[in-house]
């Protein structure tokens, strides 16, 4: 509920973000949950994923969408929580995507936990940037991006992107990233896919 004091024109914000957790509350906040059953053909061990508890949550996204998707020059603000876990020896991660409009960049920042931001250019060169509380990531235009939880708790990060960026999931679903983060001897290793 927005409280307006018309005497002095001062109002309460319509939405809040909990700094410690990234949790959003208020107007125009949407929530999406991705479970193992929603992540067909994302992990290398698809046979193992199929045998796991399908309702297990892999990640949750909250986003403040103040304008309609596709609006030119508006901004969206989101928080993603990736739960701790693995499919075989591959860490829980997001689907990953390119932006539909290829010249749209994005900011990510680490809020909690330990992660990796997997980035891939158009020539399919893939690299991983460490994520931790306070890390800041500028994802350049036309770079595919996926986040991976390599820690022993939840990975939480924030994101801010343009409202007309759009999401292209198809290319990653079809061709994947050229490398994956695999646990070996208790450590994350970036290995060719
Ligand atoms: C993020 C992502 C979010 C979930 O808000 O959408 O972390 O990842 P997937 O969209 O790949 O499932 C973002 O990059 N928005 O543009
Ligand atoms: Zn994005």
């Amino acid at each position: 509920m927005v409280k307006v004091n018309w005497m002095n024109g001062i109002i309460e914000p319509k939405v809040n973000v909990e700094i410690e957790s990234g949790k959003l509350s208020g107007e125009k906040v949407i929530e999406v949950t991705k479970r193992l059953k929603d992540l067909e053909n994302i992990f290398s061990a698809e046979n193992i994923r199929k045998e796991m508890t399908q309702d297990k949550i892999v990640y949750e996204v909250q986003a403040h969408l103040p304008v309609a998707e596709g609006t030119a020059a508006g901004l969206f603000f989101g928080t993603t929580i990736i739960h701790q876990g693995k499919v075989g020896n591959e860490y829980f991660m997001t689907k990953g995507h390119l932006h539909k409009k290829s010249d749209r960049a994005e900011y990510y920042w680490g809020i909690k936990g330990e992660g990796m931001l997997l980035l891939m250019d158009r020539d399919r060169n893939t690299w991983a940037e460490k994520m931790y509380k306070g890390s800041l990531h500028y994802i350049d235009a036309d770079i595919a991006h996926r986040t991976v939880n390599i820690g022993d708790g939840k990975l939480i990060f924030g994101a801010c992107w343009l409202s007309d960026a759009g999401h292209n999931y198809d290319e990653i679903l079809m061709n994947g990233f050229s490398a994956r983060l695999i646990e070996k001897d208790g450590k994350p290793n970036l290995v060719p896919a």
Side-chain angles (χ1 to χ4, degrees):
M1 191 52 180
V2 185
K3 293 177 209 137
V4 182
N5 179 345
W6 290 110
M7 291 302 288
N8 60 13
I10 295 171
I11 62 167
E12 294 292 325
K14 297 183 178 72
V15 61
N16 285 274
V17 55
E18 241 177 59
I19 298 298
E20 290 306 314
S21 67
K23 192 172 169 45
L24 297 171
S25 56
E27 272 184 21
K28 301 188 177 174
V29 172
I30 59 120
E31 295 184 17
V32 179
T33 301
K34 297 285 182 200
R35 299 171 191 274
L36 277 170
K37 65 180 171 204
D38 305 314
L39 298 171
E40 211 175 325
N41 295 319
I42 297 292
F43 296 93
S44 98
E46 174 62 9
N47 54 331
I48 296 179
R49 184 201 61 88
K50 272 197 223 152
E51 297 304 317
M52 293 169 73
T53 308
Q54 294 299 292
D55 272 339
K56 189 166 176 52
I57 295 175
V58 179
Y59 63 99
E60 300 163 78
V61 183
Q62 275 195 310
H64 178 232
L65 309 179
V67 293
E69 173 106 43
T71 302
L75 292 170
F76 289 157
F77 185 102
T79 299
T80 302
I81 302 172
I82 308 183
H83 291 224
Q84 197 271 333
K86 277 179 288 174
V87 175
N89 54 8
E90 189 172 17
Y91 302 95
F92 275 7
M93 61 186 182
T94 58
K95 286 171 77 172
H97 60 266
L98 283 151
H99 291 153
K100 245 184 216 157
K101 281 205 168 138
S102 57
D103 61 352
R104 297 301 195 256
E106 179 164 10
Y107 267 121
Y108 278 5
W109 58 95
I111 295 173
K112 198 183 172 118
E114 203 189 342
M116 291 278 185
L117 170 57
L118 213 57
L119 299 160
M120 182 173 75
D121 67 18
R122 281 285 175 191
D123 295 326
R124 296 190 57 76
N125 299 304
T126 298
W127 65 103
E129 207 165 277
K130 289 181 182 176
M131 298 179 88
Y132 47 85
K133 182 179 177 179
S135 63
L136 182 67
H137 313 271
Y138 181 74
I139 302 167
D140 223 331
D142 217 16
I143 298 287
H145 42 288
R146 158 180 283 167
T147 43
V148 186
N149 183 356
I150 60 160
D152 48 20
K154 287 175 178 168
L155 172 71
I156 309 182
F157 64 93
C160 185
W161 67 103
L162 287 143
S163 50
D164 63 353
H167 293 101
N168 165 5
Y169 290 101
D170 292 352
E171 279 198 45
I172 296 302
L173 269 177
M174 265 188 311
N175 305 319
F177 280 70
S178 62
R180 293 178 175 276
L181 274 159
I182 300 295
E183 188 190 67
K184 202 181 162 224
D185 304 326
K187 284 193 188 141
N189 277 262
L190 188 61
V191 300

